[in-house]
Amino acid sequence: QYELYENAITVLKNSNAILPIKNLENNKIAYVKLGDDMNSAFVNTLKKYTEVTEVADDDIQCLKEKLAAFNTVIVGFHKLDKAWKKDDFSEKEINILQEISKESNVILDVFAKPYALNAFTNFDNIEGIVISYQNSTISQVVSAEVIFGAVGAKGRIPVSISNNFKVNDGIDTEKINRLGFTTPEYVGMNSETLNKIDNLAHYAINNKLTPGIQILVARKGKVVY
């Protein structure tokens, strides 16, 4: 599944090379959620790379005022993965995107079918558009990695989106020197073996061999523990 999403996630727009986000020191980043489904894996992975502030307000004007302090706004559109369920943006969500993209640098990440974008006549004010296809935990993790360059986007859309995007459209993005996140098995390691580290760490702390421990295991550019 990781490999599937690494090959499938598609960047449709990348104005001013906003993707991947390279500058983490002088770039205040906000996240705004749209849609009605879970988003925790996406937000948690974004926050592993830099400080990301979740911003929300039912009033569009108040939301715009809150976002004025940020350089980049990541908007996640999260819809439940059901074949019968429509993935359309609501009228309010369309208005929110249109309004905040007038004044902010916006990266829109769509965790739904590409057809959801048919609700828009144009994307002139949106700097970055990512299609992640489904709102699964793995798609959220990999999509966050694409945004920050741990994974390079190479996907192509399988359908046309009104007059804006055609079948096989997609923009390759750069993979930069940042770690991604995956399961141990994806890089040829064993979860059960790595889980023994936790017992060893607690043993060391409980026996006062160390006041505390921070442990990170990575292989092939991926954090696995």
mmCIF file with all atom_site columns, all heavy atoms in Angstrom, residues 57-79:
data_model
loop_
_atom_site.group_PDB
_atom_site.id
_atom_site.type_symbol
_atom_site.label_atom_id
_atom_site.label_alt_id
_atom_site.label_comp_id
_atom_site.label_asym_id
_atom_site.label_entity_id
_atom_site.label_seq_id
_atom_site.pdbx_PDB_ins_code
_atom_site.Cartn_x
_atom_site.Cartn_y
_atom_site.Cartn_z
_atom_site.occupancy
_atom_site.B_iso_or_equiv
_atom_site.pdbx_formal_charge
_atom_site.auth_seq_id
_atom_site.auth_comp_id
_atom_site.auth_asym_id
_atom_site.auth_atom_id
_atom_site.pdbx_PDB_model_num
ATOM 1   N N   . ASP A 1 57 ? -12.385 28.120 11.908 1.00 0.00 ? 57 ASP A N   1
ATOM 2   C CA  . ASP A 1 57 ? -13.398 29.106 12.310 1.00 0.00 ? 57 ASP A CA  1
ATOM 3   C C   . ASP A 1 57 ? -14.570 28.982 11.347 1.00 0.00 ? 57 ASP A C   1
ATOM 4   O O   . ASP A 1 57 ? -14.377 28.880 10.133 1.00 0.00 ? 57 ASP A O   1
ATOM 5   C CB  . ASP A 1 57 ? -12.841 30.524 12.267 1.00 0.00 ? 57 ASP A CB  1
ATOM 6   C CG  . ASP A 1 57 ? -13.638 31.470 13.145 1.00 0.00 ? 57 ASP A CG  1
ATOM 7   O OD1 . ASP A 1 57 ? -14.845 31.672 12.867 1.00 0.00 ? 57 ASP A OD1 1
ATOM 8   O OD2 . ASP A 1 57 ? -13.061 31.985 14.115 1.00 0.00 ? 57 ASP A OD2 1
ATOM 9   N N   . ASP A 1 58 ? -15.782 28.951 11.898 1.00 0.00 ? 58 ASP A N   1
ATOM 10  C CA  . ASP A 1 58 ? -16.969 28.821 11.056 1.00 0.00 ? 58 ASP A CA  1
ATOM 11  C C   . ASP A 1 58 ? -17.224 30.072 10.218 1.00 0.00 ? 58 ASP A C   1
ATOM 12  O O   . ASP A 1 58 ? -17.866 30.004 9.171  1.00 0.00 ? 58 ASP A O   1
ATOM 13  C CB  . ASP A 1 58 ? -18.207 28.521 11.913 1.00 0.00 ? 58 ASP A CB  1
ATOM 14  C CG  . ASP A 1 58 ? -18.174 27.102 12.480 1.00 0.00 ? 58 ASP A CG  1
ATOM 15  O OD1 . ASP A 1 58 ? -17.526 26.241 11.847 1.00 0.00 ? 58 ASP A OD1 1
ATOM 16  O OD2 . ASP A 1 58 ? -18.773 26.880 13.548 1.00 0.00 ? 58 ASP A OD2 1
ATOM 17  N N   . ASP A 1 59 ? -16.713 31.194 10.671 1.00 0.00 ? 59 ASP A N   1
ATOM 18  C CA  . ASP A 1 59 ? -16.882 32.448 9.946  1.00 0.00 ? 59 ASP A CA  1
ATOM 19  C C   . ASP A 1 59 ? -15.690 32.638 9.004  1.00 0.00 ? 59 ASP A C   1
ATOM 20  O O   . ASP A 1 59 ? -14.532 32.659 9.442  1.00 0.00 ? 59 ASP A O   1
ATOM 21  C CB  . ASP A 1 59 ? -16.977 33.615 10.926 1.00 0.00 ? 59 ASP A CB  1
ATOM 22  C CG  . ASP A 1 59 ? -17.219 34.934 10.207 1.00 0.00 ? 59 ASP A CG  1
ATOM 23  O OD1 . ASP A 1 59 ? -18.381 35.256 9.928  1.00 0.00 ? 59 ASP A OD1 1
ATOM 24  O OD2 . ASP A 1 59 ? -16.213 35.630 9.917  1.00 0.00 ? 59 ASP A OD2 1
ATOM 25  N N   . ILE A 1 60 ? -15.964 32.786 7.714  1.00 0.00 ? 60 ILE A N   1
ATOM 26  C CA  . ILE A 1 60 ? -14.892 32.858 6.721  1.00 0.00 ? 60 ILE A CA  1
ATOM 27  C C   . ILE A 1 60 ? -14.000 34.071 6.957  1.00 0.00 ? 60 ILE A C   1
ATOM 28  O O   . ILE A 1 60 ? -12.772 33.985 6.843  1.00 0.00 ? 60 ILE A O   1
ATOM 29  C CB  . ILE A 1 60 ? -15.481 32.883 5.289  1.00 0.00 ? 60 ILE A CB  1
ATOM 30  C CG1 . ILE A 1 60 ? -16.195 31.565 4.993  1.00 0.00 ? 60 ILE A CG1 1
ATOM 31  C CG2 . ILE A 1 60 ? -14.386 33.136 4.261  1.00 0.00 ? 60 ILE A CG2 1
ATOM 32  C CD1 . ILE A 1 60 ? -16.840 31.500 3.631  1.00 0.00 ? 60 ILE A CD1 1
ATOM 33  N N   . GLN A 1 61 ? -14.592 35.206 7.286  1.00 0.00 ? 61 GLN A N   1
ATOM 34  C CA  . GLN A 1 61 ? -13.787 36.411 7.510  1.00 0.00 ? 61 GLN A CA  1
ATOM 35  C C   . GLN A 1 61 ? -12.854 36.235 8.703  1.00 0.00 ? 61 GLN A C   1
ATOM 36  O O   . GLN A 1 61 ? -11.678 36.624 8.654  1.00 0.00 ? 61 GLN A O   1
ATOM 37  C CB  . GLN A 1 61 ? -14.698 37.627 7.724  1.00 0.00 ? 61 GLN A CB  1
ATOM 38  C CG  . GLN A 1 61 ? -13.950 38.944 7.797  1.00 0.00 ? 61 GLN A CG  1
ATOM 39  C CD  . GLN A 1 61 ? -13.118 39.234 6.561  1.00 0.00 ? 61 GLN A CD  1
ATOM 40  O OE1 . GLN A 1 61 ? -13.543 38.963 5.433  1.00 0.00 ? 61 GLN A OE1 1
ATOM 41  N NE2 . GLN A 1 61 ? -11.916 39.772 6.757  1.00 0.00 ? 61 GLN A NE2 1
ATOM 42  N N   . CYS A 1 62 ? -13.364 35.632 9.775  1.00 0.00 ? 62 CYS A N   1
ATOM 43  C CA  . CYS A 1 62 ? -12.525 35.378 10.945 1.00 0.00 ? 62 CYS A CA  1
ATOM 44  C C   . CYS A 1 62 ? -11.411 34.388 10.613 1.00 0.00 ? 62 CYS A C   1
ATOM 45  O O   . CYS A 1 62 ? -10.272 34.537 11.086 1.00 0.00 ? 62 CYS A O   1
ATOM 46  C CB  . CYS A 1 62 ? -13.376 34.842 12.096 1.00 0.00 ? 62 CYS A CB  1
ATOM 47  S SG  . CYS A 1 62 ? -14.517 36.058 12.797 1.00 0.00 ? 62 CYS A SG  1
ATOM 48  N N   . LEU A 1 63 ? -11.737 33.396 9.786  1.00 0.00 ? 63 LEU A N   1
ATOM 49  C CA  . LEU A 1 63 ? -10.723 32.425 9.361  1.00 0.00 ? 63 LEU A CA  1
ATOM 50  C C   . LEU A 1 63 ? -9.618  33.113 8.579  1.00 0.00 ? 63 LEU A C   1
ATOM 51  O O   . LEU A 1 63 ? -8.423  32.863 8.808  1.00 0.00 ? 63 LEU A O   1
ATOM 52  C CB  . LEU A 1 63 ? -11.381 31.331 8.518  1.00 0.00 ? 63 LEU A CB  1
ATOM 53  C CG  . LEU A 1 63 ? -10.457 30.235 7.988  1.00 0.00 ? 63 LEU A CG  1
ATOM 54  C CD1 . LEU A 1 63 ? -9.824  29.454 9.139  1.00 0.00 ? 63 LEU A CD1 1
ATOM 55  C CD2 . LEU A 1 63 ? -11.227 29.281 7.070  1.00 0.00 ? 63 LEU A CD2 1
ATOM 56  N N   . LYS A 1 64 ? -9.994  34.005 7.671  1.00 0.00 ? 64 LYS A N   1
ATOM 57  C CA  . LYS A 1 64 ? -8.998  34.739 6.885  1.00 0.00 ? 64 LYS A CA  1
ATOM 58  C C   . LYS A 1 64 ? -8.094  35.588 7.779  1.00 0.00 ? 64 LYS A C   1
ATOM 59  O O   . LYS A 1 64 ? -6.882  35.664 7.556  1.00 0.00 ? 64 LYS A O   1
ATOM 60  C CB  . LYS A 1 64 ? -9.701  35.615 5.853  1.00 0.00 ? 64 LYS A CB  1
ATOM 61  C CG  . LYS A 1 64 ? -10.336 34.846 4.705  1.00 0.00 ? 64 LYS A CG  1
ATOM 62  C CD  . LYS A 1 64 ? -11.200 35.738 3.837  1.00 0.00 ? 64 LYS A CD  1
ATOM 63  C CE  . LYS A 1 64 ? -10.409 36.828 3.154  1.00 0.00 ? 64 LYS A CE  1
ATOM 64  N NZ  . LYS A 1 64 ? -11.258 37.654 2.270  1.00 0.00 ? 64 LYS A NZ  1
ATOM 65  N N   . GLU A 1 65 ? -8.684  36.192 8.788  1.00 0.00 ? 65 GLU A N   1
ATOM 66  C CA  . GLU A 1 65 ? -7.900  37.022 9.702  1.00 0.00 ? 65 GLU A CA  1
ATOM 67  C C   . GLU A 1 65 ? -6.899  36.177 10.480 1.00 0.00 ? 65 GLU A C   1
ATOM 68  O O   . GLU A 1 65 ? -5.752  36.590 10.700 1.00 0.00 ? 65 GLU A O   1
ATOM 69  C CB  . GLU A 1 65 ? -8.834  37.771 10.657 1.00 0.00 ? 65 GLU A CB  1
ATOM 70  C CG  . GLU A 1 65 ? -9.665  38.842 9.953  1.00 0.00 ? 65 GLU A CG  1
ATOM 71  C CD  . GLU A 1 65 ? -10.704 39.472 10.866 1.00 0.00 ? 65 GLU A CD  1
ATOM 72  O OE1 . GLU A 1 65 ? -10.750 39.091 12.061 1.00 0.00 ? 65 GLU A OE1 1
ATOM 73  O OE2 . GLU A 1 65 ? -11.475 40.330 10.393 1.00 0.00 ? 65 GLU A OE2 1
ATOM 74  N N   . LYS A 1 66 ? -7.316  34.992 10.903 1.00 0.00 ? 66 LYS A N   1
ATOM 75  C CA  . LYS A 1 66 ? -6.406  34.101 11.626 1.00 0.00 ? 66 LYS A CA  1
ATOM 76  C C   . LYS A 1 66 ? -5.260  33.627 10.729 1.00 0.00 ? 66 LYS A C   1
ATOM 77  O O   . LYS A 1 66 ? -4.121  33.474 11.179 1.00 0.00 ? 66 LYS A O   1
ATOM 78  C CB  . LYS A 1 66 ? -7.170  32.886 12.157 1.00 0.00 ? 66 LYS A CB  1
ATOM 79  C CG  . LYS A 1 66 ? -8.140  33.192 13.276 1.00 0.00 ? 66 LYS A CG  1
ATOM 80  C CD  . LYS A 1 66 ? -8.863  31.933 13.716 1.00 0.00 ? 66 LYS A CD  1
ATOM 81  C CE  . LYS A 1 66 ? -9.844  32.211 14.845 1.00 0.00 ? 66 LYS A CE  1
ATOM 82  N NZ  . LYS A 1 66 ? -10.566 30.991 15.289 1.00 0.00 ? 66 LYS A NZ  1
ATOM 83  N N   . LEU A 1 67 ? -5.558  33.402 9.450  1.00 0.00 ? 67 LEU A N   1
ATOM 84  C CA  . LEU A 1 67 ? -4.556  32.875 8.520  1.00 0.00 ? 67 LEU A CA  1
ATOM 85  C C   . LEU A 1 67 ? -3.591  33.939 8.024  1.00 0.00 ? 67 LEU A C   1
ATOM 86  O O   . LEU A 1 67 ? -2.566  33.615 7.421  1.00 0.00 ? 67 LEU A O   1
ATOM 87  C CB  . LEU A 1 67 ? -5.250  32.210 7.320  1.00 0.00 ? 67 LEU A CB  1
ATOM 88  C CG  . LEU A 1 67 ? -6.048  30.946 7.627  1.00 0.00 ? 67 LEU A CG  1
ATOM 89  C CD1 . LEU A 1 67 ? -6.791  30.477 6.381  1.00 0.00 ? 67 LEU A CD1 1
ATOM 90  C CD2 . LEU A 1 67 ? -5.140  29.834 8.151  1.00 0.00 ? 67 LEU A CD2 1
ATOM 91  N N   . ALA A 1 68 ? -3.909  35.189 8.279  1.00 0.00 ? 68 ALA A N   1
ATOM 92  C CA  . ALA A 1 68 ? -3.057  36.288 7.794  1.00 0.00 ? 68 ALA A CA  1
ATOM 93  C C   . ALA A 1 68 ? -1.646  36.221 8.375  1.00 0.00 ? 68 ALA A C   1
ATOM 94  O O   . ALA A 1 68 ? -0.697  36.736 7.789  1.00 0.00 ? 68 ALA A O   1
ATOM 95  C CB  . ALA A 1 68 ? -3.703  37.626 8.122  1.00 0.00 ? 68 ALA A CB  1
ATOM 96  N N   . ALA A 1 69 ? -1.494  35.558 9.497  1.00 0.00 ? 69 ALA A N   1
ATOM 97  C CA  . ALA A 1 69 ? -0.187  35.485 10.156 1.00 0.00 ? 69 ALA A CA  1
ATOM 98  C C   . ALA A 1 69 ? 0.710   34.395 9.584  1.00 0.00 ? 69 ALA A C   1
ATOM 99  O O   . ALA A 1 69 ? 1.867   34.256 9.988  1.00 0.00 ? 69 ALA A O   1
ATOM 100 C CB  . ALA A 1 69 ? -0.386  35.245 11.654 1.00 0.00 ? 69 ALA A CB  1
ATOM 101 N N   . PHE A 1 70 ? 0.192   33.607 8.620  1.00 0.00 ? 70 PHE A N   1
ATOM 102 C CA  . PHE A 1 70 ? 0.933   32.455 8.115  1.00 0.00 ? 70 PHE A CA  1
ATOM 103 C C   . PHE A 1 70 ? 1.389   32.673 6.669  1.00 0.00 ? 70 PHE A C   1
ATOM 104 O O   . PHE A 1 70 ? 0.728   33.351 5.890  1.00 0.00 ? 70 PHE A O   1
ATOM 105 C CB  . PHE A 1 70 ? 0.057   31.197 8.201  1.00 0.00 ? 70 PHE A CB  1
ATOM 106 C CG  . PHE A 1 70 ? -0.281  30.813 9.616  1.00 0.00 ? 70 PHE A CG  1
ATOM 107 C CD1 . PHE A 1 70 ? -1.420  31.318 10.228 1.00 0.00 ? 70 PHE A CD1 1
ATOM 108 C CD2 . PHE A 1 70 ? 0.546   29.977 10.339 1.00 0.00 ? 70 PHE A CD2 1
ATOM 109 C CE1 . PHE A 1 70 ? -1.735  30.981 11.529 1.00 0.00 ? 70 PHE A CE1 1
ATOM 110 C CE2 . PHE A 1 70 ? 0.249   29.632 11.652 1.00 0.00 ? 70 PHE A CE2 1
ATOM 111 C CZ  . PHE A 1 70 ? -0.891  30.137 12.244 1.00 0.00 ? 70 PHE A CZ  1
ATOM 112 N N   . ASN A 1 71 ? 2.536   32.056 6.335  1.00 0.00 ? 71 ASN A N   1
ATOM 113 C CA  . ASN A 1 71 ? 3.074   32.149 4.978  1.00 0.00 ? 71 ASN A CA  1
ATOM 114 C C   . ASN A 1 71 ? 2.429   31.140 4.034  1.00 0.00 ? 71 ASN A C   1
ATOM 115 O O   . ASN A 1 71 ? 2.225   31.422 2.853  1.00 0.00 ? 71 ASN A O   1
ATOM 116 C CB  . ASN A 1 71 ? 4.590   31.906 4.982  1.00 0.00 ? 71 ASN A CB  1
ATOM 117 C CG  . ASN A 1 71 ? 5.323   32.796 5.961  1.00 0.00 ? 71 ASN A CG  1
ATOM 118 O OD1 . ASN A 1 71 ? 5.708   32.356 7.038  1.00 0.00 ? 71 ASN A OD1 1
ATOM 119 N ND2 . ASN A 1 71 ? 5.503   34.062 5.596  1.00 0.00 ? 71 ASN A ND2 1
ATOM 120 N N   . THR A 1 72 ? 2.149   29.956 4.567  1.00 0.00 ? 72 THR A N   1
ATOM 121 C CA  . THR A 1 72 ? 1.626   28.860 3.754  1.00 0.00 ? 72 THR A CA  1
ATOM 122 C C   . THR A 1 72 ? 0.439   28.232 4.467  1.00 0.00 ? 72 THR A C   1
ATOM 123 O O   . THR A 1 72 ? 0.476   28.017 5.679  1.00 0.00 ? 72 THR A O   1
ATOM 124 C CB  . THR A 1 72 ? 2.709   27.787 3.510  1.00 0.00 ? 72 THR A CB  1
ATOM 125 O OG1 . THR A 1 72 ? 3.860   28.396 2.916  1.00 0.00 ? 72 THR A OG1 1
ATOM 126 C CG2 . THR A 1 72 ? 2.193   26.679 2.587  1.00 0.00 ? 72 THR A CG2 1
ATOM 127 N N   . VAL A 1 73 ? -0.614  27.913 3.703  1.00 0.00 ? 73 VAL A N   1
ATOM 128 C CA  . VAL A 1 73 ? -1.799  27.259 4.265  1.00 0.00 ? 73 VAL A CA  1
ATOM 129 C C   . VAL A 1 73 ? -2.011  25.938 3.535  1.00 0.00 ? 73 VAL A C   1
ATOM 130 O O   . VAL A 1 73 ? -2.186  25.910 2.318  1.00 0.00 ? 73 VAL A O   1
ATOM 131 C CB  . VAL A 1 73 ? -3.056  28.136 4.135  1.00 0.00 ? 73 VAL A CB  1
ATOM 132 C CG1 . VAL A 1 73 ? -4.274  27.409 4.709  1.00 0.00 ? 73 VAL A CG1 1
ATOM 133 C CG2 . VAL A 1 73 ? -2.849  29.479 4.827  1.00 0.00 ? 73 VAL A CG2 1
ATOM 134 N N   . ILE A 1 74 ? -1.960  24.841 4.274  1.00 0.00 ? 74 ILE A N   1
ATOM 135 C CA  . ILE A 1 74 ? -2.262  23.522 3.726  1.00 0.00 ? 74 ILE A CA  1
ATOM 136 C C   . ILE A 1 74 ? -3.722  23.213 4.026  1.00 0.00 ? 74 ILE A C   1
ATOM 137 O O   . ILE A 1 74 ? -4.139  23.217 5.187  1.00 0.00 ? 74 ILE A O   1
ATOM 138 C CB  . ILE A 1 74 ? -1.356  22.444 4.338  1.00 0.00 ? 74 ILE A CB  1
ATOM 139 C CG1 . ILE A 1 74 ? 0.115   22.744 4.030  1.00 0.00 ? 74 ILE A CG1 1
ATOM 140 C CG2 . ILE A 1 74 ? -1.738  21.056 3.809  1.00 0.00 ? 74 ILE A CG2 1
ATOM 141 C CD1 . ILE A 1 74 ? 1.090   21.865 4.795  1.00 0.00 ? 74 ILE A CD1 1
ATOM 142 N N   . VAL A 1 75 ? -4.500  22.964 2.986  1.00 0.00 ? 75 VAL A N   1
ATOM 143 C CA  . VAL A 1 75 ? -5.924  22.640 3.147  1.00 0.00 ? 75 VAL A CA  1
ATOM 144 C C   . VAL A 1 75 ? -6.112  21.169 2.806  1.00 0.00 ? 75 VAL A C   1
ATOM 145 O O   . VAL A 1 75 ? -5.816  20.735 1.681  1.00 0.00 ? 75 VAL A O   1
ATOM 146 C CB  . VAL A 1 75 ? -6.810  23.507 2.233  1.00 0.00 ? 75 VAL A CB  1
ATOM 147 C CG1 . VAL A 1 75 ? -8.281  23.096 2.387  1.00 0.00 ? 75 VAL A CG1 1
ATOM 148 C CG2 . VAL A 1 75 ? -6.629  24.986 2.557  1.00 0.00 ? 75 VAL A CG2 1
ATOM 149 N N   . GLY A 1 76 ? -6.578  20.392 3.766  1.00 0.00 ? 76 GLY A N   1
ATOM 150 C CA  . GLY A 1 76 ? -6.859  18.984 3.532  1.00 0.00 ? 76 GLY A CA  1
ATOM 151 C C   . GLY A 1 76 ? -8.349  18.763 3.372  1.00 0.00 ? 76 GLY A C   1
ATOM 152 O O   . GLY A 1 76 ? -9.135  19.169 4.230  1.00 0.00 ? 76 GLY A O   1
ATOM 153 N N   . PHE A 1 77 ? -8.732  18.140 2.243  1.00 0.00 ? 77 PHE A N   1
ATOM 154 C CA  . PHE A 1 77 ? -10.151 17.808 2.005  1.00 0.00 ? 77 PHE A CA  1
ATOM 155 C C   . PHE A 1 77 ? -10.305 16.311 2.231  1.00 0.00 ? 77 PHE A C   1
ATOM 156 O O   . PHE A 1 77 ? -9.867  15.495 1.429  1.00 0.00 ? 77 PHE A O   1
ATOM 157 C CB  . PHE A 1 77 ? -10.553 18.190 0.584  1.00 0.00 ? 77 PHE A CB  1
ATOM 158 C CG  . PHE A 1 77 ? -11.982 17.870 0.240  1.00 0.00 ? 77 PHE A CG  1
ATOM 159 C CD1 . PHE A 1 77 ? -13.027 18.441 0.952  1.00 0.00 ? 77 PHE A CD1 1
ATOM 160 C CD2 . PHE A 1 77 ? -12.291 17.007 -0.796 1.00 0.00 ? 77 PHE A CD2 1
ATOM 161 C CE1 . PHE A 1 77 ? -14.354 18.153 0.639  1.00 0.00 ? 77 PHE A CE1 1
ATOM 162 C CE2 . PHE A 1 77 ? -13.609 16.710 -1.122 1.00 0.00 ? 77 PHE A CE2 1
ATOM 163 C CZ  . PHE A 1 77 ? -14.646 17.288 -0.402 1.00 0.00 ? 77 PHE A CZ  1
ATOM 164 N N   . HIS A 1 78 ? -10.931 15.950 3.363  1.00 0.00 ? 78 HIS A N   1
ATOM 165 C CA  . HIS A 1 78 ? -10.991 14.562 3.814  1.00 0.00 ? 78 HIS A CA  1
ATOM 166 C C   . HIS A 1 78 ? -12.425 14.033 3.714  1.00 0.00 ? 78 HIS A C   1
ATOM 167 O O   . HIS A 1 78 ? -13.314 14.507 4.405  1.00 0.00 ? 78 HIS A O   1
ATOM 168 C CB  . HIS A 1 78 ? -10.504 14.464 5.257  1.00 0.00 ? 78 HIS A CB  1
ATOM 169 C CG  . HIS A 1 78 ? -9.112  14.979 5.454  1.00 0.00 ? 78 HIS A CG  1
ATOM 170 N ND1 . HIS A 1 78 ? -7.998  14.174 5.375  1.00 0.00 ? 78 HIS A ND1 1
ATOM 171 C CD2 . HIS A 1 78 ? -8.645  16.231 5.723  1.00 0.00 ? 78 HIS A CD2 1
ATOM 172 C CE1 . HIS A 1 78 ? -6.909  14.898 5.584  1.00 0.00 ? 78 HIS A CE1 1
ATOM 173 N NE2 . HIS A 1 78 ? -7.278  16.152 5.797  1.00 0.00 ? 78 HIS A NE2 1
ATOM 174 N N   . LYS A 1 79 ? -12.613 13.033 2.849  1.00 0.00 ? 79 LYS A N   1
ATOM 175 C CA  . LYS A 1 79 ? -13.933 12.440 2.658  1.00 0.00 ? 79 LYS A CA  1
ATOM 176 C C   . LYS A 1 79 ? -13.882 10.942 2.925  1.00 0.00 ? 79 LYS A C   1
ATOM 177 O O   . LYS A 1 79 ? -12.904 10.263 2.608  1.00 0.00 ? 79 LYS A O   1
ATOM 178 C CB  . LYS A 1 79 ? -14.443 12.678 1.232  1.00 0.00 ? 79 LYS A CB  1
ATOM 179 C CG  . LYS A 1 79 ? -14.634 14.144 0.890  1.00 0.00 ? 79 LYS A CG  1
ATOM 180 C CD  . LYS A 1 79 ? -15.733 14.806 1.716  1.00 0.00 ? 79 LYS A CD  1
ATOM 181 C CE  . LYS A 1 79 ? -17.112 14.352 1.311  1.00 0.00 ? 79 LYS A CE  1
ATOM 182 N NZ  . LYS A 1 79 ? -18.174 15.095 2.031  1.00 0.00 ? 79 LYS A NZ  1
#
